[in-house]
Amino acid sequence: MRLYAVVAAGGFRRYATYRTATAAGVFTNTVFGFIMAYTYVALWDERPQLGGYDMPQALTYVWLGQALLMTCAMMGGGFEDELIERIRTGDVAVDLYRPVNLQLWWLAGDLGRAAFHLLGRGIVPMLLGSLAFDLALPASPGVWLAFLVSVALGVVVSFAIRYLVALSAFWLLDGAGVSQMTALAGMFFSGMLLPLTLFPGVLGDVARVLPWSSLLQVPADVLLGKSTGWGLVEAYAFQGGWALTLLLVGRLVQSVATRRVVVQGG
């Protein structure tokens, strides 16, 4: 475990070196946060309590989305482009023969990436949003802790999805198409554009049970007090269930791909 902790710390330091990109990202998140916040204000003025949220809760949801956009990699990004390239060039064969678990190695690095983005690109836009708007931020440290646990689970779910996307390169050679489709699905089904509680009928029912809802909708509901008591346990179980399922599928696909590499190498 010490090795993976070192890898996670390395992932954090790696992204911390891109200071100009981080500043640009903070600016972009803040601008889009204001655009979406004023859009939500107009919408909630016409339809108060829309989706079960009052105005402060809806605005909090907007700024949470900006804080978690890169943290949970809703649009993709992070390790998968590098892993896809290593698969395409065949360098992944070296990785597979190393005495470490390939999936855990990349997961550790992605956790470091997510931690940096939460601190480096998440806090400032959230603070600016709280200065400009009346947000429904909880005063209880316990709620914030529960929220951080939910975010961590969301990051693992996001990693597991993107890991499967990267592994598709073993068969497709170029994972760009799959990555783009997954990014679109992540933006839509995470609730980044609109809370999933606003989606009508069957679409809403389906959207809320897909793994992408773990990236924003579930953590947001935890912070906004929509998931408390047994509801909080159910939220964790939902995220944890998807994380475990997707990680196991990733492990299975990795095993099949490893055998393929061994056969071709032989």
Side-chain angles (χ1 to χ4, degrees):
M1 292 303 295
R2 182 180 178 182
L3 171 63
Y4 299 115
V6 172
V7 173
F12 186 98
R13 289 194 300 270
R14 175 183 179 182
Y15 283 88
T17 59
Y18 303 119
R19 297 178 183 177
T20 302
T22 299
V26 169
F27 176 78
T28 302
N29 286 135
T30 302
V31 170
F32 276 98
F34 275 100
I35 292 172
M36 293 192 66
Y38 282 115
T39 302
Y40 273 46
V41 167
L43 186 57
W44 260 259
D45 276 340
E46 293 296 323
R47 296 283 301 277
Q49 299 297 323
L50 184 62
Y53 301 105
D54 58 26
M55 179 76 79
Q57 290 174 331
L59 291 172
T60 303
Y61 187 96
V62 168
W63 291 102
L64 279 177
Q66 296 305 311
L68 298 182
L69 177 62
M70 290 300 294
T71 302
C72 291
M74 298 177 206
M75 297 178 63
F79 74 93
E80 62 265 35
D81 291 340
E82 182 180 352
L83 181 53
I84 287 172
E85 180 62 17
R86 293 187 68 80
I87 293 172
R88 189 186 67 82
T89 60
D91 292 340
V92 72
V94 178
D95 302 332
L96 292 171
Y97 281 109
R98 288 173 179 165
V100 295
N101 184 284
L102 184 68
Q103 187 183 57
L104 291 180
W105 175 278
W106 289 102
L107 174 58
D110 199 57
L111 290 175
R113 175 207 59 80
F116 171 76
H117 281 308
L118 182 62
L119 297 174
R121 290 186 58 168
I123 292 179
V124 173
M126 195 75 183
L127 288 175
L128 293 174
S130 66
L131 293 175
F133 301 96
D134 180 22
L135 303 186
L137 298 176
S140 170
V143 176
W144 283 103
L145 179 60
F147 166 71
L148 291 176
V149 172
S150 184
V151 169
L153 289 171
V155 170
V156 176
V157 172
S158 172
F159 164 81
I161 294 172
R162 290 176 289 125
Y163 190 71
L164 285 170
V165 169
L167 292 182
S168 70
F170 276 108
W171 291 269
L172 301 177
L173 296 182
D174 183 3
V178 178
S179 296
Q180 291 171 3
M181 289 188 294
T182 305
L184 291 174
M187 284 291 290
F188 187 76
F189 289 113
S190 66
M192 184 65 196
L193 302 178
L194 282 172
L196 300 182
T197 54
L198 272 64
F199 287 20
V202 176
L203 176 61
D205 295 337
V206 172
R208 286 189 288 273
V209 299
L210 291 176
W212 289 284
S213 65
S214 297
L215 279 55
L216 174 58
Q217 184 67 60
V218 175
D221 283 342
V222 171
L223 186 70
L224 294 172
K226 301 291 184 179
S227 299
T228 58
W230 184 250
L232 181 60
V233 175
E234 291 179 336
Y236 287 164
F238 174 81
Q239 291 179 293
W242 268 119
L244 181 60
T245 299
L246 292 170
L247 288 174
L248 289 176
V249 172
R251 183 69 62 87
L252 176 62
V253 174
Q254 175 186 315
S255 177
V256 173
T258 300
R259 288 199 295 270
R260 183 184 183 195
V261 170
V262 171
V263 170
Q264 290 179 345

